[in-house]
Amino acid sequence: MLGIWSLLLLWGLLTPCQGLLETVGTLARIDKGELGKAIQNSLVGGPVLQNVLGTVTSVNQGLLGSKGLLGGGGLLSYGGIFGVVEGVSGLKIEELTLPKVSLKLLPGVGVQLSLYTKVGLHGSGPLGDLLQLAAEVNVSSRVALGVSSRGTPILLLKSCSTLLGHISLLSGLLPAPIFGVVEQTLLKVLPGLLCPVVESVLGVVNELLGTVLSLVPLGALGSVEFSLATLPLISNQYIELDINPIVKSVAGDIIDFPKPPKPIKVPPKEDHTSQVTVPLYLFNTMFGLLQTNGALDIDITPEQVPSSVPLTTTDLAALVPEALGKLPPGQKLLLSLQVKGAPVVTLQSKKAIVSIPANIHVLSYLPKRTPEPLFELNGVMTLNAQLAPSATKLHLSLSLERLSVKLASSLVHTFDASRLEEWLSDVVRVAYVPKLNVDLEVGIPLPKVLNVNFANAVLEIIENAVVLTVPCCG
């Protein structure tokens, strides 16, 4: 029977909220399997903290491997504590069964972590023969949750004790008195060896938890900084983090857009899945940044549209001849689209809609001449948003559903501007929407929590939020 390392993490003295997100934050629910995978990877020697774990070339390397804390050159190696023990020479750890991680979350209390392993010790016996021993170990530790100077959760080791299990003699001869001395020495030595291992494991997990607090660039628009709004909470299946996204402009100014009028009702999380909720606030803020930066404005000339979409006075005369006055046919038109107000994103009924208010100035122009204004329209573009997750971002792609316009002013005669809606919609589809989609390629960042990959997440649009759910451990 393999030995057990039990680690009690006193983490989260409250239970998760009952499905309501009162703030505009990003709610992350991380399945216990993701925490177990993170700890398992730290023991093997994954890529997260190679400066702590060492280079990984086999399962016997890394934190607990032959090149690690307990292996060759370690405290139990030649020249170590066991230089010679009553006729036993060079006893050192040569093998370590890769620990198997299992977790039990204790709502309102913490996390119980069990690591199953076996230690193999090799040396020379009293008669010079090869000596092989296998020992089971049970390390029990208590860890408290604190807050680091960076404002991230940090696990602090408070106490650690070691219980040595069954010791088997696999090969060689070892008289009972000497066997007893070896056993007693192991009892004295192993706590000093294995408790630092626990601290190193916690250090790896703390680094992963620390990635929650990160500054993610939004291309040329600014950045999003994630931080914890409250201490982590624990249920029997997942750890819940209320993460506060702070959006900043390129100049470093905090962008503050209107918050949802009521709490977000977050759907329950299924077992063996992790979940992140992206609030409406982040969508509105991204479009607000685009608008304040002028990225939503555009001047459209005939050179920017295909020949199938006419943009001359001849074509306009067929729709609203009274708007042209005495302008000759065949003259080029310039459409200057300017977004004066912040776009409004609506997340509801499994749909994502973006409404962009815009002033559309229609001008005629000749080469090397100043464009002459004809009329101005007040318009609202309604666009459907298609959402798709990647590993670390939520991506948007827009398509025009409809464009409604009203006449704001005209230098010649008033007219019914609705006659221009179909024509303007064609222009917007071919010249404006592709530009928007290029600007939106930066995506909405998702918080980094234990390196959960949301590329294959199931996406659900709820009222005022988008929920991404990914199977553990994807």
Side-chain angles (χ1 to χ4, degrees):
M1 177 180 177
L2 296 178
I4 299 176
W5 293 352
S6 296
L7 178 62
L8 182 62
L9 310 183
L10 300 179
W11 186 8
L13 300 181
L14 301 174
T15 56
C17 59
Q18 303 301 310
L20 289 180
L21 185 58
E22 298 286 346
T23 69
V24 298
T26 299
L27 188 69
R29 290 170 171 172
I30 307 303
D31 190 81
K32 66 177 183 180
E34 293 290 351
L35 180 60
K37 183 178 75 171
I39 294 173
Q40 184 79 57
N41 288 343
S42 75
L43 294 169
V44 176
V48 180
L49 287 180
Q50 292 194 12
N51 60 325
V52 173
L53 306 181
T55 303
V56 182
T57 56
S58 71
V59 296
N60 278 333
Q61 290 189 336
L63 187 64
L64 300 182
S66 61
K67 301 296 184 181
L69 184 62
L70 306 185
L75 294 181
L76 292 186
S77 64
Y78 288 104
I81 292 179
F82 276 18
V84 176
V85 177
E86 298 290 338
V88 177
S89 62
L91 189 63
K92 62 178 180 177
I93 292 180
E94 287 283 0
E95 298 175 4
L96 185 74
T97 302
L98 183 64
K100 186 179 293 185
V101 177
S102 64
L103 283 170
K104 182 179 181 181
L105 302 186
L106 309 174
V109 178
V111 181
Q112 182 175 315
L113 167 66
S114 297
L115 307 175
Y116 300 86
T117 192
K118 225 175 198 179
V119 176
L121 302 104
H122 294 185
S124 298
L127 302 178
D129 55 335
L130 176 65
L131 188 65
Q132 292 181 309
L133 299 170
E136 298 177 359
V137 187
N138 181 343
V139 177
S140 179
S141 303
R142 285 187 175 271
V143 180
L145 177 68
V147 179
S148 73
S149 59
R150 298 170 58 233
T152 60
I154 185 171
L155 301 173
L156 303 171
L157 183 63
K158 292 299 183 181
S159 64
C160 179
S161 60
T162 302
L163 177 63
L164 185 64
H166 179 67
I167 300 177
S168 302
L169 179 62
L170 303 180
S171 67
L173 297 175
L174 197 62
I178 299 180
F179 186 93
V181 173
V182 171
E183 184 176 33
Q184 291 300 314
T185 306
L186 283 174
L187 284 172
K188 295 177 182 179
V189 170
L190 286 177
L193 292 172
L194 299 181
C195 288
V197 170
V198 174
E199 289 185 300
S200 296
V201 169
L202 294 181
V204 173
V205 178
N206 284 336
E207 287 289 336
L208 291 173
L209 291 172
T211 61
V212 173
L213 182 60
S214 59
L215 188 67
V216 184
L218 282 173
L221 299 177
S223 61
V224 176
E225 183 177 359
F226 292 105
S227 62
L228 282 182
T230 61
L231 285 178
L233 306 176
I234 289 181
S235 78
N236 61 349
Q237 288 294 324
Y238 60 88
I239 297 167
E240 182 172 290
L241 303 175
D242 187 0
I243 300 170
N244 183 33
I246 301 173
V247 182
K248 296 181 179 181
S249 66
V250 175
D253 300 324
I254 295 178
I255 307 298
D256 190 17
F257 281 86
K259 313 300 189 291
K262 57 183 179 180
I264 297 171
K265 187 175 182 180
V266 182
K269 187 188 83 68
E270 298 180 2
D271 290 347
H272 310 300
T273 64
S274 292
Q275 184 186 75
V276 64
T277 301
V278 184
L280 176 64
Y281 167 77
L282 280 179
F283 291 85
N284 281 330
T285 303
M286 168 172 279
F287 281 97
L289 277 173
L290 287 169
Q291 187 264 323
T292 54
N293 288 359
L296 298 181
D297 299 339
I298 187 174
D299 288 339
I300 304 173
T301 64
E303 292 75 19
Q304 296 172 259
V305 298
S307 58
S308 59
V309 180
L311 205 56
T312 67
T313 53
T314 301
D315 308 296
L316 189 59
L319 299 172
V320 285
E322 62 269 39
L324 299 179
K326 298 180 181 180
L327 279 176
Q331 197 162 320
K332 293 181 179 181
L333 294 177
L334 168 68
L335 300 186
S336 180
L337 189 153
Q338 298 176 349
V339 178
K340 298 297 184 182
V344 177
V345 181
T346 303
L347 299 174
Q348 196 172 21
S349 303
K350 300 183 180 181
K351 289 189 68 177
I353 302 294
V354 182
S355 297
I356 302 179
N359 294 338
I360 303 174
H361 299 264
V362 181
L363 308 93
S364 67
Y365 79 102
L366 293 172
K368 299 181 180 180
R369 291 190 182 181
T370 302
E372 297 181 8
L374 299 177
F375 54 87
E376 179 184 351
L377 304 172
N378 289 333
V380 176
M381 292 173 284
T382 302
L383 303 106
N384 291 315
Q386 292 76 44
L387 308 179
S390 65
T392 59
K393 293 183 179 181
L394 180 60
H395 298 274
L396 292 82
S397 178
L398 301 179
S399 60
L400 183 67
E401 180 177 301
R402 66 180 180 273
L403 168 63
S404 59
V405 294
K406 292 182 179 180
L407 183 64
S409 65
S410 173
L411 295 181
V412 186
H413 300 287
T414 60
F415 57 90
D416 180 9
S418 64
R419 286 180 281 168
L420 298 174
E421 288 179 352
E422 184 176 351
W423 169 65
L424 288 171
S425 295
D426 290 339
V427 176
V428 167
R429 285 190 180 96
V430 298
Y432 185 64
V433 174
K435 174 186 180 300
L436 281 182
N437 288 330
V438 170
D439 292 331
L440 291 172
E441 286 179 355
V442 64
I444 296 177
L446 302 174
K448 298 178 182 179
V449 185
L450 295 180
N451 290 331
V452 176
N453 185 335
F454 286 95
N456 298 317
V458 175
L459 187 147
E460 182 182 2
I461 300 174
I462 63 174
E463 187 174 3
N464 293 331
V466 172
V467 180
L468 302 177
T469 302
V470 63
C472 180
C473 299

